[in-house]
Amino acid sequence: MIEAVLPFFSPEKIADSGQAFRIHMLDSTHAETVAFGRYLQIADMGDSRYAFSCTADEFAGIWSAYFDLNRDYEKVVSSIDRNDNYLLSAAEFGIGIRILRQEVFETAISYIISQRRSIPSITTAVERICSLCGEKIVPYAPEPVFTAPSQNEFYAFPTPVRLAELSIEDLTATGVGYRAPYIARAASDFSSGKLIPDELAELPDSDLYRILMSMYGVGMKVANCIMLFAFARTSRFPVDVWIARIVDTYYGGNFDASRYPDSAGIMQQFMFYYERKRIS
DNA sequence: GGCCAGGCCTCGC
DNA sequence: GCGAGGCATGGC
């Protein structure tokens, strides 16, 4: 078990922010997730103290980067235009949200699935795909856990090879509908080595964007989400129906994301979370 | 039961 | 280059 003092960190808000589909709150202070083929629990101990059910090595080697713990979010928030009341409110409301650095293949598939679907529906489809062909994970935590896992077994997100083995019919049976061919093509692109995450990570934004946009079933919005949520390209500003609505309503149809060259994507996430939560 | 969902592809101009 | 139409299914 690892304990850390982490200001500007809220697993609850992150789980509810719609950027990741496999973080689950057991209650308001206990989160669990599966990533990198591992099961993790996080407990909120109060006073910005958090406990993670992993070893120090795993924390330093995996989860710290995954939760973007080395970025100064106070600085990000304080960089907001003092005249931008909407964004100031959104950021205050969303303090604790961080931009996760998720696995590339999982992010690509998840956001291909996301098009024209609600977040609960995306979660269901992702979970079905994992249990269909992901590797089984027994939720054993190497260090003392804080509460019982919600299930006896979990499934990793499938590898590109395993997903590429599925037929279109198999995919359709998971409820992904007309996106099945998109998923099949993406699985093929990654399993064949046409797309290699480590190589993509080395590319400048413009090249990475162009390559992602060339994928079948990936347009501007999904490409930007993959860049933001898997490659930590925080200058990207994905525009979906919510953001478009916000920009129309509060910014007269024009929000200049280039004002935040290092954090536009974080601002986007604050806006998205704020607008969705306060309506619901 | 109807409506809408973190869009994208294809086609016609 | 750009706008309209169509799209499988799940949740509320």
Side-chain angles (χ1 to χ4, degrees), chain A residues 13-185:
Chain A
K13 289 184 189 175
I14 292 169
D16 199 24
S17 69
Q19 62 174 302
F21 305 103
R22 304 202 70 199
I23 304 178
H24 172 230
M25 297 305 296
L26 293 143
D27 57 52
S28 65
T29 57
H30 293 89
E32 64 180 3
T33 193
V34 170
F36 304 99
R38 294 156 195 262
Y39 174 82
L40 178 76
Q41 288 190 345
I42 307 171
D44 182 345
M45 318 289 280
D47 295 327
S48 298
R49 286 170 53 247
Y50 294 88
F52 296 76
S53 67
C54 62
T55 65
D57 284 349
E58 287 177 312
F59 186 77
I62 298 176
W63 301 112
S64 177
Y66 179 74
F67 288 108
D68 198 24
L69 298 182
N70 293 318
R71 188 188 305 271
D72 183 351
Y73 277 77
E74 182 171 17
K75 191 172 161 188
V76 170
V77 172
S78 66
S79 76
I80 295 172
D81 183 347
R82 305 317 290 175
N83 297 316
D84 188 341
N85 291 320
Y86 180 81
L87 186 50
L88 287 169
S89 301
E92 183 180 6
F93 187 81
I95 279 183
I97 291 175
R98 286 171 179 261
I99 302 296
L100 303 186
R101 188 172 188 132
Q102 302 181 63
E103 294 172 271
V104 171
F105 182 61
E106 174 174 344
T107 308
I109 299 297
S110 298
Y111 278 91
I112 286 172
I113 291 172
S114 79
Q115 59 184 267
R116 229 179 118 73
R117 292 190 78 151
S118 65
I119 289 173
S121 166
I122 300 162
T123 302
T124 300
V126 170
E127 218 45 58
R128 283 180 184 167
I129 284 178
C130 292
S131 56
L132 181 62
C133 61
E135 189 171 341
K136 187 186 291 186
I137 297 171
V138 175
Y140 163 78
E143 301 290 327
V145 288
F146 322 98
T147 186
S150 65
Q151 302 165 238
N152 292 325
E153 54 190 36
F154 291 79
Y155 293 88
F157 196 86
T159 62
V161 171
R162 289 300 308 277
L163 198 53
E165 287 169 357
L166 298 185
S167 66
I168 297 293
E169 291 72 27
D170 293 334
L171 287 170
T172 303
T174 66
V176 297
Y178 66 86
R179 306 159 195 81
Y182 303 159
I183 294 168
R185 186 85 73 89

Side-chain angles (χ1 to χ4, degrees), chain A residues 197-247:
Chain A
D198 287 347
E199 290 185 359
L200 296 174
E202 299 299 318
L203 298 174
D205 286 359
S206 55
D207 291 342
L208 178 57
Y209 184 65
R210 182 174 45 75
I211 289 175
L212 293 174
M213 284 289 288
S214 74
M215 293 175 67
Y216 185 50
V218 174
M220 291 188 292
K221 190 271 174 180
V222 170
N224 279 316
C225 283
I226 298 169
M227 290 182 72
L228 179 58
F229 299 128
F231 292 100
R233 305 299 172 96
T234 48
S235 66
R236 310 306 289 197
F237 188 81
V239 177
D240 69 335
V241 291
W242 286 91
I243 296 297
R245 203 177 298 148
I246 290 165
V247 170

